[in-house]
Amino acid sequence: MTDFTVSEMQIMQQNLQDKYKDKWEPISPETGKNKMLWMIAEMGEVIDIVKKNSIDQIMEEGEIRKWFVEEMADVLMFYNDMMLCYGITVDELKQSYTEKYEKNMKRW
């Protein structure tokens, strides 16, 4: 299996936005906060799975693991929507992530 890139996620998310442009709120800085709230709601669903299931279930039990990964994907979808709303490019994300990584590597 090949790596799944942020660029691929962005293209897929833009395709979803284009397909449902008449049903979903538009992608814009004004709607970015709503996407963030939806992302936090999805994170809550991930937390519920972790709260209600053992680590072994999450790691090994087919249906629970599938559900856990699906909810993680939902978080990423709204994260990518936020990037689209605020016009954050993959290059900007990479630069900021790299800088933060380097800063953390020197922290302790």
Side-chain angles (χ1 to χ4, degrees):
M1 178 178 251
T2 61
D3 288 344
F4 185 41
T5 67
V6 175
S7 294
E8 289 173 298
M9 284 188 261
Q10 285 283 281
I11 290 166
M12 293 169 77
Q13 205 60 27
Q14 186 61 60
N15 288 340
L16 278 171
Q17 291 299 326
D18 291 344
K19 179 174 181 167
Y20 296 109
K21 67 180 178 223
D22 296 330
K23 296 181 191 270
W24 293 355
E25 65 182 352
I27 289 294
S28 69
E30 293 79 24
T31 60
K33 68 178 180 177
N34 295 338
K35 302 299 183 183
M36 180 174 39
L37 293 171
W38 281 108
M39 182 180 72
I40 291 167
E42 293 298 339
M43 290 170 77
E45 291 185 28
V46 172
I47 291 165
D48 280 343
I49 295 169
V50 172
K51 265 186 358 187
K52 295 175 182 176
N53 296 279
S54 70
I55 297 299
D56 289 339
Q57 288 175 302
I58 293 168
M59 295 302 293
E60 298 169 11
E61 201 169 301
E63 285 304 308
I64 292 174
R65 182 159 183 86
K66 182 178 178 181
W67 180 30
F68 177 73
V69 173
E70 181 180 321
E71 294 305 330
M72 294 289 293
D74 285 345
V75 171
L76 280 173
M77 291 178 105
F78 282 109
Y79 179 85
N80 277 283
D81 273 350
M82 285 179 55
M83 285 181 63
L84 292 171
C85 283
Y86 294 109
I88 299 169
T89 66
V90 173
D91 289 337
E92 282 180 296
L93 180 64
K94 181 179 179 179
Q95 180 179 347
S96 183
Y97 192 98
T98 302
E99 289 170 2
K100 188 69 171 186
Y101 167 81
E102 290 170 356
K103 182 178 178 181
N104 285 335
M105 287 298 286
K106 295 174 185 172
R107 188 170 278 182
W108 292 284

